Each structure stands twice: as structure tokens, then as C-alpha cells.
Amino acid sequence: MKKKSVFKKFLYSQKVAPYVFIAPFVVTFLVFFAYSICSMIIMSFQKVAGANTTFVGLDNYKILSNAVFIKSLKNSIFYTIVTCLLMIPIPMVLAAMLNSKHMRGKAAFRSILFIPALTSVVVAGVVFRLMFGELEGSFMNQVVGAFGMEPLIWLRKPTTVWIALFLLCLWRWTGVNMMYYLSGLQQIPEDLYESASIDGATSMQQLRYITIPLLKPTTIYVLTISIFGGMAMFSESYMLFNGNKSPNNVGTTLVGLLYRMGFEQNNLGIASAIGVTFLVIVLVINMIQLKVNGTFGKGE
């Protein structure tokens, strides 16, 4: 009994309790992230054949000069840039509309816009693949047909492939980013808007000088996760093309190439080299944008 009470006293002490609460996160981080990253870096310098590994130096990194890698990198960067340009202003405007006192049916619109985020990417990809089908009766061909245009082969041309991917991204994630912005808007004191109205500020001036500046922390967060999400895009492309192959690699991304090398061609060394490169690129891009936004190194 004495040992039990000592243990209980130790567990409930103010000094120990914080470490008990953070222990699950620390263990999870070390096992599933730190260990995985270290293993990936080591494997990027090896040729892995089952249980046998051979040190090959920088040979795996020769993939960085491969034409397919360069194209997949360009695809990932282009997708990230465009989705960031779409997924910040559109959710912000929608959140401002839902936060307005004059908006009716807020709960219904909020639910409708958020439901796509709860939809499986498998279901979303299949639905969009059918929508952008080659047949004349597919949804998008019926839409363009209404304007007198001939049916298009949507998933074989770069321009139309990107249209499909961007629409899929907008459909799935607009509601999520909108909720972030809605939460940020609700933290802005109403007194600021009332004072601005008394001083004669228009709605656009209030948006420019009050709303957007005070939403900067939310925007930085949304931008950060959007950069990672854009660079890590794979499932949407995989489901849209019903596999990891697209015409002339128009839909191949860095993660898609990593999957191809690691799981389809069983070359874990090259896949690890791509993974390390991907990690460095994402870290550098996010560090730059955080530095530009005044978040990184702010305390210096």
C-alpha cells in the first residue's frame, strides 16, 4: 500500500504531471516521425534488396537529374502555387459572408461547404473521374456541349487535367479553410468595426484595414498547411487517373514518383532519396514564407 501511495503521489505531482501528459506525443513523434526520417535518410544512401543493404553513396540522388523527376517537381510546385492562390482568398470571402449579420441560413451553408472534407478521397476521385470522362454523356462534356463545344478528352491534355485537379481540390478543402477563417473572424472584436463605421469607413476599407491584417495569423497557418498539402498531393491524382500513371506524366507529382519507385518498382533507395529531397524542399519553402511573413525568427 505504501508503494502504491508513493507511486500515486509521484504520478500526481505538479512536476511530473506535465511530462505524463506530453509523453504520448513525444513517443509518437520519436517512433513514427523522427525514427522514420532517420531511416529514410540512411536508406537514401543504400541499395535495398529485401533484408540486404549495400552502401552506394550518392548514386540514388542521380534521380534528381531525371526528366520524370524534374517534371514531377514542376507539377508539384505548379499545383501548390495555384491551390494556394485559390485556397486562401476564396475561403476568406466565404467566411466573411458567413460571419455577416445579414447572412441567413449560416448553419446550413456551413454544413454544405464542410461536407466534402468528410468525403473519402477514393469516392471523390471516382466521382470526378466519371464527371470528367471522355464520353459525350459525361457531366463536364454536357456542360461544354451546352455552349456548343465538342466533347473534350479531359484527362489526356495538360490544361484540362489541371482544371480537374484544381476543381477537386476546391471542392474538398474550401470548407476546411473557410472554418479556419471563420474561427479567426469570430476572434475580432466587433468594437473595431463599429468604430470604423462611425468614422465613415466603407465595407471594403474595413476589410482592408481591419479584417485582413487581423487574420494574418490564420492566413499564415492556412498558407503553411496548403504548401505542405499541395506538395504532398498524390491520392487525388491517383484516383483521378485510376492509378499512378497519367499521359506523359502530366499528373505525376513528387509523392507519386516516390510511390512509383518505392512500391511499384521496389527501389526503396531511390524512393528514400526522393523523400529526403521532398522534405528539404517543403522545409525551405515554408521557412522562406514564415520569414517573409515575420513569423520565423520573430523573437530574435
Side-chain angles (χ1 to χ4, degrees), residues 111-185:
S111 300
I112 291 170
L113 290 169
F114 190 76
I115 283 175
L118 305 177
T119 306
S120 167
V121 66
V122 176
V123 175
V126 171
V127 170
F128 270 74
R129 186 167 73 241
L130 295 174
M131 287 173 56
F132 287 89
E134 301 177 7
L135 299 177
E136 188 175 348
S138 65
F139 176 76
M140 291 304 297
N141 277 334
Q142 290 187 45
V143 171
V144 298
F147 294 94
M149 299 174 60
E150 294 293 325
L152 299 175
I153 304 176
W154 292 92
L155 301 181
R156 293 184 182 274
K157 298 180 180 179
T159 302
T160 50
V161 164
W162 286 120
I163 290 173
L165 286 171
F166 294 143
L167 286 177
L168 177 54
C169 176
L170 276 172
W171 181 79
R172 287 201 75 212
W173 300 116
T174 296
V176 176
N177 288 356
M178 180 198 70
M179 295 298 288
Y180 290 138
Y181 277 113
L182 189 59
S183 177
L185 284 169

Side-chain angles (χ1 to χ4, degrees), residues 231-253:
M231 293 296 293
M233 191 274 286
F234 167 67
S235 301
E236 290 85 348
S237 176
Y238 187 91
M239 295 309 305
L240 196 64
F241 291 101
N242 196 24
N244 196 29
K245 293 183 179 179
S246 55
N248 296 320
N249 291 302
V250 67
T252 303
T253 61

